[in-house]
Amino acid sequence: MTTRVYDAATHVFDPLHAYWESEANRKVVTVLLVTLFLVSLGLIELNRQGMLPASLQGVVGLSHFQAINAAFTLVLLVEVVSLIFVLPCSVSKSVGKQFEILALILLRNSFKELVYLPEPIQLGTDMMPVLRILSDGFGALAIFVILGLYYRQQKQRGELMTGETRYRFVAAKKLVALGLLAVFIALAVYGGWDFFFGDRAFAFFATFYTVLIFSDILLVLVSHRFLPTFHAVLRNSGYAVSTLLLRLSLTAPPYYDAGIGVAAALFALALTWTYNGFYSTKDG
């Protein structure tokens, strides 16, 4: 029965992964991004001219800079799906992908501050938006630099597992990834409904990163079945801690969000450096 479940997960996951990474899908995503950005600009201008129905006026907004936020939100959604498909590769790669998304979220936060500036853009007496742009921007840059060091620490590891054991290990992670993909779709549908018909209080990325904490713990437990050594368990559990810190940064106040995010990235880098420097085993 377990083998059938692993086979089913592999047969469902692999075609989805192949399509997501295909050139055709990348073209579709690019077209959607450009279309969303241009349509958002057009709708905002119509709203500024009072040409939209009352039901859409509160949804569209009045600042052209909100179009940037809409486009970046779609970019983040695309990156989250890519993260889900990276999960079966390795824990370290999925952690790196999560920090890539955090850097993009900080950049999006920087652009969101533009709505507090007048059009055409100019600097007024209120410096708070500028300070927050600097904080989130430099936070994203710091994470970008740390990620470069983090990826350099990654090493190709030898095969300690037999072919059948490795197949089961990867298939188990694919099963977790499929469950996470289902949760992502459900949250996206709920978030879209809340945006258009609710009070727009649903924090999609904060909620999804909370789910990621549980999925990371689940992956740690799954990994323990196939890699039961102490240092492998500690490394994977440590990565889960970095994800927890990352989650906290998403709901932290301005300035603290970037600081906690950078600290989480430094923790992941230190953990990887320590593991590579002091433990020479070839865990997968």
Side-chain angles (χ1 to χ4, degrees):
M1 176 61 71
T2 303
T3 302
R4 291 180 181 178
V5 172
Y6 289 157
D7 290 341
T10 300
H11 292 155
V12 173
F13 182 90
D14 288 351
L16 290 174
H17 188 198
Y19 172 74
W20 183 256
E21 297 295 334
S22 67
E23 185 65 25
N25 181 62
R26 291 179 182 176
K27 291 180 180 178
V28 170
V29 170
T30 300
V31 171
L32 286 175
L33 286 170
V34 174
T35 302
L36 175 63
F37 182 63
L38 295 178
V39 170
S40 297
L41 284 174
L43 290 175
I44 290 169
E45 181 59 29
L46 290 175
N47 197 23
R48 289 168 67 95
Q49 301 301 324
M51 300 174 63
L52 288 183
S55 59
L56 291 178
Q57 290 177 1
V59 176
V60 173
L62 295 172
S63 174
H64 290 103
F65 295 121
Q66 289 176 296
I68 302 176
N69 181 48
F72 257 83
T73 299
L74 182 56
V75 170
L76 288 171
L77 291 174
V78 171
E79 290 299 317
V80 167
V81 177
S82 297
L83 163 64
I84 294 172
F85 284 116
V86 165
L87 284 178
C89 297
S90 72
V91 175
S92 57
K93 286 184 179 179
S94 68
V95 169
K97 192 67 176 179
Q98 291 181 54
F99 282 107
E100 290 178 14
I101 295 174
L102 175 61
L104 289 175
I105 289 176
L106 290 175
L107 287 179
R108 187 191 67 156
N109 290 345
S110 295
F111 285 113
K112 287 172 68 174
E113 294 296 324
L114 292 176
V115 301
Y116 299 109
L117 299 177
E119 293 187 49
I121 190 169
Q122 57 184 323
L123 187 61
T125 57
D126 185 8
M127 294 295 294
M128 291 304 297
V130 178
L131 293 177
R132 291 176 180 177
I133 289 173
L134 289 173
S135 173
D136 290 332
F138 275 103
L141 176 61
I143 292 174
F144 185 56
V145 173
I146 295 169
L147 274 175
L149 299 173
Y150 173 82
Y151 285 133
R152 284 192 177 187
Q153 289 291 321
Q154 303 306 317
K155 297 179 179 180
Q156 290 283 5
R157 308 192 185 280
E159 299 282 344
L160 283 184
M161 303 179 188
T162 62
E164 178 64 21
T165 303
R166 179 162 291 275
Y167 171 79
R168 289 172 175 267
F169 183 34
V170 174
K173 291 193 288 185
K174 289 178 179 179
L175 189 60
V176 174
L178 288 174
L180 195 58
L181 181 61
V183 172
F184 168 83
I185 294 174
L187 290 177
V189 171
Y190 180 82
W193 178 271
D194 182 72
F195 180 81
F196 288 104
F197 305 105
D199 56 6
R200 286 185 281 179
F202 180 67
F204 172 83
F205 292 106
T207 302
F208 184 76
Y209 264 91
T210 301
V211 175
L212 275 179
I213 294 173
F214 293 101
S215 68
D216 286 344
I217 297 299
L218 181 58
L219 287 174
V220 169
L221 299 177
V222 170
S223 300
H224 187 267
R225 162 66 178 81
F226 299 94
L227 296 169
T229 59
F230 162 75
H231 45 275
V233 174
L234 190 143
R235 182 194 66 161
N236 293 339
S237 300
Y239 284 145
V241 171
S242 68
T243 302
L244 172 60
L245 292 172
L246 192 157
R247 162 65 181 88
L248 293 175
S249 72
L250 294 180
T251 55
Y255 312 118
Y256 288 98
D257 55 352
I260 295 175
V262 171
L266 287 172
F267 178 85
L269 175 62
L271 179 65
T272 303
W273 180 84
T274 302
Y275 182 84
N276 291 338
F278 295 97
Y279 301 98
S280 58
T281 58
K282 298 179 179 180
D283 294 324

